[in-house]
Amino acid sequence: MVGSALIAGVSGIVGNNLARHLIGHGWEVSGLARRPPGDIEGLRPVAADLLDPAGLQAALAEHRPSHVFITTWMRQATEAENIRVNAAMVRNLLGALRPGRSVRHVALVTGLKHYLGPFESYGKGSLPATPFREEQPRLDIENFYYAQEDEVFAAAAQDGFGWSVHRPHTIIGYALGNAMNMGVTLATYATLCRETGRPFLFPGSAAQWNGLTDMTDARLLARHLEWAATTEAARDQAFNVVNGDVFRWNWMWSRIADWFGLPSAPFPGEGIPLEQQLADAVPVWRQIAERHRLAEPDLGCLASAWHTDADLGRPIEVVTDMSKSRRLGFLDYQATDAAFFDLFDRLRQARIIP
């Protein structure tokens, strides 16, 4: 056994892929969620609520993980509530594990809102220059990512474990019912366009259509998490983590359209948000699901239009620097178009899309 891992948020896009990766590499893996998945062979499920300290302590009483991976958060109505709730989740988890004195490393997954700001002020105000680098200071604004980090740092100082912070860009990977899942959202949107004859319109901004960007494959992120948790030089460090290629959406959009056998509609100069385009799509998807005997007839369990709109609607170019990880030995690479295609293939095999 390499180590004993506890993954908080195992039902999400990061936690699901991380669990499969670690189990495949010989780890003993426990997965914590309110409703842990039952389809990950070898996973030890832990059903608990991170906002219920007493229930959490009871659920984890017999667990002695050497490594903890925090891959979850809960969206609230305001950033003040995001800070209160998400900081408490981290604090409660690490507090529940404290009596066991087993934890050697804690990895926290956040993201590029570290540099872009929270949803309330996303991509606005004075932002650091791109490509984003880990040594750039925090923005002078409240951000629940900072509050989560501070909880990890405080617990590390008290309990003596090492830590790592991982800042992926938009994540591509297999997970259903996830609040931030562009890959599955675009797959359902393309399917709707193909089945109904709607134009496959890019829903974002001109800055995203024309500017450079990058993304993060959940499988590469899983490898990065394991690497940082088991590499001494990566101890007590924050890392950006992206695939290693850059692209423009005006190229990627046509690649995705080709995979679905669609023409890529001309960009009209400013995109129509997916929330608007998909406003009437719930009954249409149900009809498509019935016609093709798909596994999930509820579009709301697949698409997260609001999050895809937030990413594709950004008014600035967003590119991420990976030099820090490269210098310390993490050299993995993933072509982003292939990451999309791998996901689409898996969705088709699982009968999520026809």
Side-chain angles (χ1 to χ4, degrees):
M1 185 181 71
V2 179
S4 173
L6 173 68
I7 301 172
V10 72
S11 59
I13 190 170
V14 178
N16 186 299
N17 283 272
L18 176 61
R20 295 177 190 275
H21 172 79
L22 293 179
I23 290 168
H25 280 226
W27 289 68
E28 178 185 279
V29 180
S30 299
L32 188 153
R34 283 174 293 181
R35 291 176 295 278
D39 63 343
I40 303 178
E41 185 176 353
L43 180 71
R44 183 183 180 188
V46 181
D49 185 342
L50 290 172
L51 291 175
D52 176 9
L56 190 59
Q57 288 181 346
L60 293 173
E62 304 303 319
H63 288 259
R64 298 290 185 271
S66 58
H67 295 71
V68 178
F69 300 88
I70 303 172
T71 70
T72 188
W73 70 287
M74 290 179 61
R75 189 185 185 199
Q76 305 298 309
T78 66
E79 192 59 19
E81 278 299 290
N82 275 332
I83 290 169
R84 184 186 68 82
V85 168
N86 289 285
M89 289 165 61
V90 175
R91 184 168 60 252
N92 292 342
L93 175 63
L94 299 180
L97 293 170
R98 180 166 291 122
R101 307 296 297 177
S102 64
V103 177
R104 301 201 306 267
H105 187 93
V106 172
L108 171 69
V109 179
T110 61
L112 294 196
K113 287 190 291 296
H114 183 93
Y115 308 107
L116 289 163
F119 286 116
E120 288 182 3
S121 55
Y122 195 48
K124 299 175 183 177
S126 178
L127 299 174
T130 56
F132 295 140
R133 291 181 169 87
E134 296 91 343
E135 66 269 19
Q136 290 167 324
R138 292 178 174 182
L139 300 176
D140 187 18
I141 190 171
E142 294 296 303
N143 189 323
F144 81 88
Y145 281 172
Y146 305 161
Q148 287 183 308
E149 286 185 346
D150 288 343
E151 292 292 344
V152 171
F153 301 158
Q158 180 175 347
D159 299 334
F161 56 72
W163 56 265
S164 58
V165 175
H166 303 254
R167 299 169 186 160
H169 200 163
T170 304
I171 299 170
I172 307 169
Y174 186 85
L176 306 180
N178 186 262
M180 301 193 298
N181 198 331
M182 181 189 287
V184 178
T185 299
L186 292 182
T188 57
Y189 173 52
T191 298
L192 283 159
C193 290
R194 188 182 63 202
E195 296 285 323
T196 64
R198 299 182 186 187
F200 188 53
L201 286 167
F202 181 70
S205 66
Q208 290 300 301
W209 181 253
N210 296 311
L212 290 172
T213 194
D214 47 30
M215 294 185 75
T216 305
D217 188 303
R219 299 166 300 181
L220 181 139
L221 176 54
R223 298 194 296 273
H224 192 266
L225 283 159
E226 182 186 30
W227 166 79
T230 56
T231 301
E232 183 60 31
R235 182 185 172 98
D236 299 347
Q237 298 287 333
F239 296 101
N240 298 327
V241 50
V242 288
N243 288 338
D245 62 350
V246 295
F247 63 91
R248 303 180 198 276
W249 273 106
N250 56 33
W251 175 81
M252 185 65 76
W253 200 249
S254 64
R255 297 282 288 159
I256 294 173
D258 287 346
W259 195 94
F260 284 94
L262 288 166
S264 177
F267 183 59
E270 196 63 32
I272 302 172
L274 278 182
E275 279 200 302
Q276 182 178 334
Q277 292 193 54
L278 299 181
D280 63 348
V282 169
V284 180
W285 182 263
R286 189 170 297 277
Q287 293 171 3
I288 293 170
E290 290 174 357
R291 184 162 64 249
H292 293 281
R293 299 179 181 177
L294 301 182
E296 180 51 74
D298 185 357
L299 183 63
C301 292
L302 301 175
S304 51
W306 69 271
H307 179 259
T308 297
D309 284 339
D311 273 9
L312 297 184
R314 289 181 297 210
I316 58 171
E317 180 177 275
V318 176
V319 185
T320 315
D321 183 72
M322 272 282 285
S323 299
K324 186 176 184 180
S325 292
R326 306 296 189 222
R327 286 194 302 269
L328 295 178
F330 184 81
L331 305 177
D332 285 25
Y333 165 86
Q334 169 66 55
T336 299
D337 57 342
F340 273 120
F341 301 158
D342 289 349
L343 171 62
F344 299 156
D345 280 330
R346 186 169 177 190
L347 291 172
R348 182 167 283 172
Q349 291 166 11
R351 301 212 56 76
I352 303 301
I353 59 175

